[in-house]
């Protein structure tokens, strides 16, 4: 499977690097994985939202080629935080600029492509939400962005990683490790995922939320039920 990791001006480096390293490491254990850093403009150096940190996109984001597209959030300040930050350095402005590129249409193509998975880390789901691409879907994001994600029509799900079929979203920045390992297990298999997990000495956190199974009862209801 070809996994493309999206870069746009102002991206959060850890959102990209954590799952990118997971899939890169997997190549030591399987020949079923290939990875690329990509942008909507093609090959170029892409500045992150952290001054002095940039990554080089090697390819054009291509939903017709990719089996997995991973979208990061932005690195910057939120309104009301970082009083010294210029307005253009705030996360909503950074994401807004990304939406003026070809990125939204390419992500729409990816979501429409049979067999292609779109995954997000942290504020990456806000990119999709602001582009109108997650209405009616189950998703999550960084806890500070949940209101904005909900305003875009997403059904907020209480998981560190939320699996909604061809859309898989993860919460805060460090959840990129958990997302990468989960997707590796889901698409390549648990043996390879476990080998990478052991290599990274990282145990995944939490249960992946899926829209399956019975709804949990409240503790009060459970306590009122007669024992059997």
């Amino acid at each position: 499977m070809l996994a493309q990791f999206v870069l746009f001006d102002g991206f959060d480096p850890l959102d990209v690097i954590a799952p990118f390293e997971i899939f890169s490491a997997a190549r030591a254990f399987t020949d079923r994985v290939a990875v690329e850093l990509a942008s909507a403009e093609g090959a170029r150096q892409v500045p992150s939202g952290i001054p002095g940190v940039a990554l080089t996109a090697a390819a054009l984001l291509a939903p017709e080629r990719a089996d997995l597209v991973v979208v990061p959030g932005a690195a910057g300040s939120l309104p009301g935080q970082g009083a010294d930050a210029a307005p253009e350095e705030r996360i909503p402005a950074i994401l807004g600029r990304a939406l003026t590129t070809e990125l939204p249409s390419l992500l729409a193509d990816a979501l429409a492509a049979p067999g292609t998975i779109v995954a997000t880390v942290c504020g990456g789901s806000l990119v999709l939400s602001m582009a109108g691409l997650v209405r009616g879907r189950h998703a999550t994001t960084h806890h500070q962005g949940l209101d904005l994600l909900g305003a875009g029509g997403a059904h907020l799900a209480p998981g560190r990683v939320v699996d909604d079929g061809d859309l898989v979203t993860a919460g805060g920045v460090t959840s990129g490790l958990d997302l990468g390992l989960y997707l590796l297990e889901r698409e390549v298999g648990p043996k390879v995922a476990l080998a990478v997990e052991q290599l990274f000495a990282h145990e995944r956190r939490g249960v992946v939320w899926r829209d399956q199974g019975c709804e949990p009862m409240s503790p009060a209801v459970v306590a009122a039920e007669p024992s059997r």
Side-chain angles (χ1 to χ4, degrees):
M1 66 179 300
L2 172 61
Q4 286 196 319
F5 296 80
V6 176
L7 303 179
F8 57 83
D9 290 4
F11 71 92
D12 188 308
L14 188 56
D15 287 1
V16 175
I17 289 298
F20 179 81
E21 280 208 46
I22 292 290
F23 273 82
S24 294
R27 293 183 298 170
F29 304 104
T30 179
D31 60 0
R32 293 176 55 191
V33 173
V35 295
E36 287 181 347
L37 294 175
S39 82
E41 298 79 21
R44 67 182 182 100
Q45 188 174 62
V46 186
S48 77
I50 297 178
V53 178
L55 291 175
T56 301
L60 177 70
L61 177 58
E64 71 279 4
R65 293 176 52 233
D67 302 291
L68 170 65
V69 173
V70 181
V71 186
S77 64
L78 289 168
Q81 295 181 334
D84 295 335
E88 64 270 16
E89 296 173 350
R90 293 174 182 157
I91 288 175
I94 296 170
L95 298 180
R97 289 195 295 273
L99 296 179
T100 66
T101 69
E102 293 299 313
L103 182 58
S105 63
L106 290 170
L107 294 178
D109 290 344
L111 283 168
T116 299
I117 303 163
V118 175
T120 68
V121 182
C122 198
S125 55
L126 298 181
V127 177
L128 299 178
S129 178
M130 293 167 69
L133 298 176
V134 292
R135 186 168 299 278
R137 304 296 301 268
H138 295 95
T140 192
T141 189
H142 189 282
H143 64 89
Q144 292 176 313
L146 288 171
D147 288 346
L148 182 57
L149 181 62
H155 299 310
L156 304 181
R160 182 170 171 84
V161 175
V162 173
D163 184 340
D164 196 40
D166 62 352
L167 174 66
V168 184
T169 57
V173 183
T174 58
S175 65
L177 287 170
D178 304 293
L179 174 75
L181 288 166
Y182 171 69
L183 287 171
L184 199 57
E185 177 184 10
R186 183 182 124 166
E187 299 302 314
V188 181
K191 294 179 181 179
V192 171
L194 180 59
V196 177
E197 181 178 281
Q198 292 173 333
L199 178 66
F200 277 55
H202 173 76
E203 294 184 2
R204 281 179 282 172
R205 290 176 51 193
V207 174
V208 174
W209 188 95
R210 290 183 289 271
D211 193 16
Q212 299 174 356
C214 62
E215 293 293 331
M217 294 187 295
S218 71
V221 172
V222 173
E225 287 285 326
S227 60
R228 296 180 181 178

